[in-house]
Amino acid sequence: MSPSAILDNSEIAHHLQKLPRSQTTKRTMPDSPQKRTALALVDAFNRMDVPAIIAPRTPSCLRHFYPTAMAQPPQDTNTYAKSLNSLRTIFRNFSLTLDELIEDSSNPQRPRICMWLSARADTAAGEYVNEYVWLLDFDESGERIVRTKEYSDNVMARDFFPKLKEAMGRERERKVAEQVQANGLI
């Protein structure tokens, strides 16, 4: 066959099969520190381990919410921890599934990870299902999160959270009634 010959797909496949399989085609790059941190964060959420969720955040880290139509102010680390602790009792069997992770290491002083996540939990109002996109900015080490931008499905939130609030109110009333009855006050 001459060097200028045009090969059809079957000829290309035939020639590729003859090439030796090298180990270099199977080798993958090790995960970056920021990717390991991001994956550990997802794991911590799946265990609802608030200290492990908070641990990689720098003291000055702010959590920003999007879309801006939600009109929620950024949360500092302490406020975020309190919020997570209250959610632990509301969202049972909470789980996050990582649908996609994109890493931007173009600026070594500011590595970034963007994750698309699917969330699911059981609540007093029924099943909670939502999607998030998290943009995590890291320090130079890639081990500490310096800022988060979190986008969630605000249509879902708009429809679900009023139902959850109502269900939680009924649950509180039921518990009070049980305590009153148990103490013989009725």
Side-chain angles (χ1 to χ4, degrees):
M1 168 178 17
S2 72
S4 62
I6 297 175
L7 301 176
D8 67 22
N9 286 343
S10 63
E11 291 173 309
I12 293 170
H14 173 74
H15 288 289
L16 287 174
Q17 287 175 351
K18 291 182 179 180
L19 294 175
R21 300 274 182 216
S22 80
Q23 292 292 43
T24 59
T25 60
K26 295 181 182 178
R27 190 173 55 195
T28 60
M29 297 293 293
D31 288 342
S32 66
Q34 58 270 17
K35 184 174 181 181
R36 287 192 304 270
T37 301
L39 294 175
L41 183 63
V42 172
D43 180 61
F45 266 97
N46 284 325
R47 294 179 284 114
M48 274 315 253
D49 183 345
V50 175
I53 293 168
I54 296 300
R57 297 168 61 92
T58 62
S60 60
C61 182
L62 289 178
R63 177 184 186 214
H64 299 268
F65 299 95
Y66 294 91
T68 54
M70 293 174 66
Q72 291 191 9
Q75 286 183 335
D76 63 21
T77 298
N78 289 334
T79 305
Y80 187 35
K82 287 177 188 173
S83 173
L84 288 170
N85 279 318
S86 69
L87 291 176
R88 279 177 23 168
T89 61
I90 298 168
F91 292 93
R92 296 175 312 279
N93 304 314
F94 185 85
S95 67
L96 278 179
T97 301
L98 178 61
D99 296 311
E100 192 167 346
L101 183 149
I102 300 170
E103 186 168 0
D104 176 8
S105 54
S106 61
N107 180 352
Q109 280 73 41
R110 189 173 157 185
R112 300 176 112 178
I113 295 277
C114 184
M115 295 188 292
W116 171 25
L117 303 148
S118 299
R120 195 228 154 265
D122 298 316
T123 74
E127 185 180 36
Y128 169 82
V129 177
N130 204 344
E131 292 180 282
Y132 310 122
V133 174
W134 291 352
L135 177 61
L136 308 174
D137 289 331
F138 293 84
D139 66 4
E140 289 180 25
S141 74
E143 295 173 355
R144 302 294 310 267
I145 301 168
V146 297
R147 179 178 65 175
T148 68
K149 293 181 177 182
E150 298 181 17
Y151 176 88
S152 67
D153 180 349
N154 66 336
V155 172
M156 184 276 157
R158 179 197 67 207
D159 295 345
F160 181 79
F161 283 104
K163 292 177 194 173
L164 180 61
K165 186 176 180 179
E166 183 180 315
M168 289 173 58
R170 285 193 307 269
E171 183 69 17
R172 268 192 303 277
E173 290 171 4
R174 184 188 62 75
K175 285 181 181 179
V176 167
E178 284 177 359
Q179 284 180 335
V180 167
Q181 188 175 19
N183 292 329
L185 299 175
I186 292 183

